[in-house]
Amino acid sequence: MTKKKHRPQRTCVGCREVIEKRELVRIVRTQDGVFVDPTGKMSGRGAYLHNDISCWEKGLSGSLARSLKTQLTDDDKSRLLTYKDTISEHLE
């Protein structure tokens, strides 16, 4: 009998769907600000979003800041919006 491998589950803060961690983008709050964490290994408080424009819009409207327990600065929003724009280019 083979044992099924554990696959971590996370919740998208935009749509609240629970799916495998690898299918989501991790956003991390560090001492230097809020960043996209492509490796998923940066230290700091993390939150997850789908690679979907609607999830990013909902997340940036408030749920992401609540999950990270911080206020997003203008620099943070700028970095995240830049990443969101690259997602929208790839989806088109």
Side-chain angles (χ1 to χ4, degrees), residues 13 29 59-72:
V13 298
R29 181 194 79 203
L60 290 172
S61 70
S63 60
L64 182 61
R66 277 192 302 279
S67 294
L68 295 174
K69 296 184 179 178
T70 190
Q71 292 287 340
L72 295 177

Side-chain angles (χ1 to χ4, degrees), residues 38-49:
T39 64
K41 297 180 189 263
M42 287 176 68
S43 63
R45 184 168 187 85
Y48 294 84
L49 287 167

Side-chain angles (χ1 to χ4, degrees), residues 26-41:
R26 184 170 188 250
I27 312 298
V28 65
R29 181 194 79 203
T30 66
Q31 292 178 342
D32 299 325
V34 176
F35 299 92
V36 174
D37 179 10
T39 64
K41 297 180 189 263

Side-chain angles (χ1 to χ4, degrees), residues 13 18-20 38 47 53-54 59 66 76 80:
V13 298
V18 178
I19 60 172
E20 284 189 33
I53 300 303
S54 63
R66 277 192 302 279
D76 296 336
L80 297 174

